[in-house]
Amino acid sequence: GECKEAVLNLETVVQQVEKYPYGRFYLGQAHHCLKAYPQAVAEYELAMKAGCNDPLVLTRAGQAYSEKGDAAKGIELLQAALAFDKTSGEAHYQLGMAYRRKGDKENAIESFKQAVARQAKNGQYRFMFGQALIKNGLLPEAVEELKQAAELEPAWAKVPFQLGRAYFQQRNYK
């Protein structure tokens, strides 16, 4: 619905105003919303070639690369975003996701930890941090993060499920 309309409207705008490079970024965002990652990456690349290299553009491009299966390129762009703005919780979170997709558990944990440090009230960041801690066997820490995620996002069924998983594993490993 909304994402498809956004793509159609933005394609028209971008065709009419080629000199507006951020139009490419917004078109990339619309494709990203549709999970059309190759198209999103192509639009983000056009925006970056036109000089849109701010942290938000780099973060979204890194996220799209990672989600389309190129975690290495995603990590590169997300690290570039953080070189501009180390305070971005979203860039740290997306970097954690890229490391997770690559199978790099330690760097994923550190990136999620940094995201939570910057936006402590973000339930999604805490949830993914808790999941990463479970995968590394850091069960007491995972329980604490997931408890906080459950408080922040009480309607998410996935949070109590993972919290129960952490409690169960913790009990079995004692």
Side-chain angles (χ1 to χ4, degrees):
E2 291 178 22
C3 291
K4 286 183 182 181
E5 283 183 39
V7 168
L8 293 174
N9 290 333
L10 286 166
E11 282 177 346
T12 302
V13 170
V14 168
Q15 289 168 1
Q16 292 173 354
V17 190
E18 275 296 319
K19 293 180 182 176
Y20 181 63
Y22 277 94
R24 290 289 181 188
F25 167 70
Y26 293 119
L27 186 53
Q29 291 263 91
H31 283 295
H32 203 152
C33 178
L34 290 169
K35 298 185 189 248
Y37 302 123
Q39 295 93 331
V41 163
E43 294 298 338
Y44 291 144
E45 283 293 334
L46 289 170
M48 289 186 294
K49 284 179 184 164
C52 304
N53 292 308
D54 62 67
L56 179 59
V57 174
L58 293 168
T59 298
R60 291 293 169 247
Q63 177 186 1
Y65 268 103
S66 175
E67 289 172 343
K68 103 174 177 64
D70 189 349
K73 180 67 174 179
I75 289 167
E76 175 188 324
L77 289 167
L78 291 159
Q79 288 173 334
L82 287 167
F84 276 103
D85 180 10
K86 292 193 184 314
T87 67
S88 171
E90 182 66 13
H92 282 287
Y93 171 76
Q94 292 302 335
L95 184 58
M97 293 299 290
Y99 281 129
R100 182 173 179 247
R101 288 182 185 102
K102 189 177 175 190
D104 184 341
K105 293 177 187 177
E106 279 108 35
N107 280 321
I109 285 175
E110 183 57 32
S111 295
F112 290 137
K113 180 179 180 181
Q114 294 299 319
V116 167
R118 282 150 181 79
Q119 291 181 322
K121 295 196 182 287
N122 187 306
Q124 181 68 23
Y125 294 179
R126 287 195 176 276
F127 175 74
M128 292 309 297
F129 185 29
Q131 276 196 317
L133 291 165
I134 289 172
K135 288 184 183 205
N136 262 20
L138 301 168
L139 301 172
E141 297 90 339
V143 165
E144 290 308 311
E145 284 305 319
L146 291 168
K147 278 183 187 175
Q148 291 183 46
E151 287 177 21
L152 293 166
E153 302 295 346
W156 288 0
K158 62 185 180 181
V159 178
F161 174 78
Q162 290 298 325
L163 183 55
R165 181 177 159 216
Y167 277 128
F168 180 76
Q169 288 181 10
Q170 190 174 20
R171 188 187 81 206
N172 286 337
Y173 291 121
K174 282 188 177 181

